[in-house]
Amino acid sequence: MLRTRVIPCLLLRNRGLVKTIGFRQPKYVGDPINSVKIFNEKEVDELVLLDIAASRMDALPDEDLLADIVSEAFMPIAYGGGIGSLDQARRLARLGIEKIIVNSAALRDSAIVSAIADQLGTSSTVVSIDVSRDWLGRARVFDAVAGRRLSLDPVEHARAMAARGAGEIFLNSVERDGAGRGLDLALIEAVSAAVPVPVIACGGAASLAHLREGANAGAAAIAAGSMFVYMGPHRAVMINYPDYGALERLFA
């Protein structure tokens, strides 16, 4: 296991694999099951799957698709999207999903975090926090379902979610999503210093140097989408993952 985990973050929409820029313009990039098979060959340690349409459409998780993905995956999978109740979390755990990710549901009622943590354990409970900066540069929680920035401070929200039982915080920058200009290091530093649980930083990583910067800022893990589904200056779709030895040397 790497000292700092490096996790492909795959976005699902209408049973396809997509990639966004700034949480917008989802572009189809392939079949999720084929992508998982490629990540198997590349010996990826874990995957994050986020259905970006489920909560917005008030739809339930696609259990048939997730069962197919889990049956093909050699690595643990964390899933988020459309989870609004403890019963849904239990059903996903029975499918073989190792970690349950909640985002919008926790914004509306944080009791769901405690309920999942009590039943499935804190190590299986992840709270995802989308963050957008306002015109003054202040970091604020972004509600992707409502499509708007809230007045909520992500540091305070992360503290509250950890107190509720979240075993990890998945921290995602809206503006840096798909931009490839590096992670929001100030945000990572602030949240990592404020919570007693690991922080997974996402949004903006496009190089090994960016991964290292995120780790130096305090992230326990770095998640990335574009970096692992695109290749080259013209962003050709090609599932890829760094050589394991290169990652070991990067975080030595």
Side-chain angles (χ1 to χ4, degrees):
M1 179 66 75
L2 296 169
R3 179 175 296 180
T4 300
R5 296 144 55 207
V6 177
I7 310 169
C9 178
L10 306 181
L11 305 183
L12 303 174
R13 183 172 182 266
N14 299 332
R15 300 178 69 83
L17 181 65
V18 300
K19 187 66 197 80
T20 55
I21 296 177
F23 279 34
R24 298 180 179 177
Q25 303 173 351
K27 178 182 178 182
Y28 179 79
V29 293
D31 176 79
I33 295 176
N34 287 339
S35 301
V36 167
K37 290 178 180 178
I38 296 172
F39 283 124
N40 284 340
E41 295 171 358
K42 297 186 176 301
E43 300 181 337
V44 169
D45 288 328
E46 56 186 304
L47 282 178
V48 167
L49 299 176
L50 300 176
D51 188 326
I52 61 171
S55 293
R56 295 176 189 177
M57 301 295 290
D58 197 24
L60 299 175
D62 187 334
E63 295 184 13
D64 290 339
L65 175 62
L66 292 173
D68 289 343
I69 291 174
V70 168
S71 70
E72 294 289 346
F74 295 167
M75 72 290 285
I77 289 178
Y79 170 81
I83 302 168
S85 70
L86 174 59
D87 181 60
Q88 288 169 0
R90 286 193 188 115
R91 291 171 64 89
L92 294 174
R94 285 196 290 270
L95 287 179
I97 299 294
E98 181 157 317
K99 296 183 180 181
I100 305 298
I101 303 175
V102 292
N103 186 326
S104 57
L107 283 173
R108 283 149 185 77
D109 184 359
S110 60
I112 190 173
V113 178
S114 302
I116 294 173
D118 288 345
Q119 288 289 314
L120 303 181
T122 57
S123 63
S124 294
T125 308
V126 181
V127 171
S128 175
I129 301 176
D130 300 326
V131 180
S132 174
R133 291 190 178 274
D134 65 15
W135 66 281
L136 291 174
R138 297 175 301 189
R140 294 290 181 263
V141 174
F142 182 82
D143 184 340
V145 172
R148 64 186 178 89
R149 188 186 302 118
L150 307 178
S151 59
L152 186 58
D153 183 332
V155 172
E156 294 306 317
H157 186 47
R159 280 199 187 106
M161 294 301 98
R164 278 289 195 176
E168 290 183 296
I169 300 295
F170 187 92
L171 193 63
N172 200 2
S173 167
V174 175
E175 285 81 13
R176 291 173 186 256
D177 169 52
R181 56 190 175 97
L183 297 151
D184 188 334
L185 302 179
L187 176 67
I188 296 167
E189 288 176 356
V191 174
S192 298
V195 297
V197 299
V199 170
I200 305 170
C202 188
S207 68
L208 293 180
H210 289 159
L211 303 182
R212 180 59 182 268
E213 290 171 355
N216 290 344
I222 313 296
S226 298
M227 183 174 174
F228 302 138
V229 300
Y230 293 131
M231 182 74 82
H234 300 295
R235 294 166 69 89
V237 176
M238 182 178 292
I239 300 298
N240 68 94
Y241 190 76
D243 174 76
Y244 202 87
L247 291 176
E248 286 184 317
R249 292 189 293 275
L250 182 70
F251 298 120

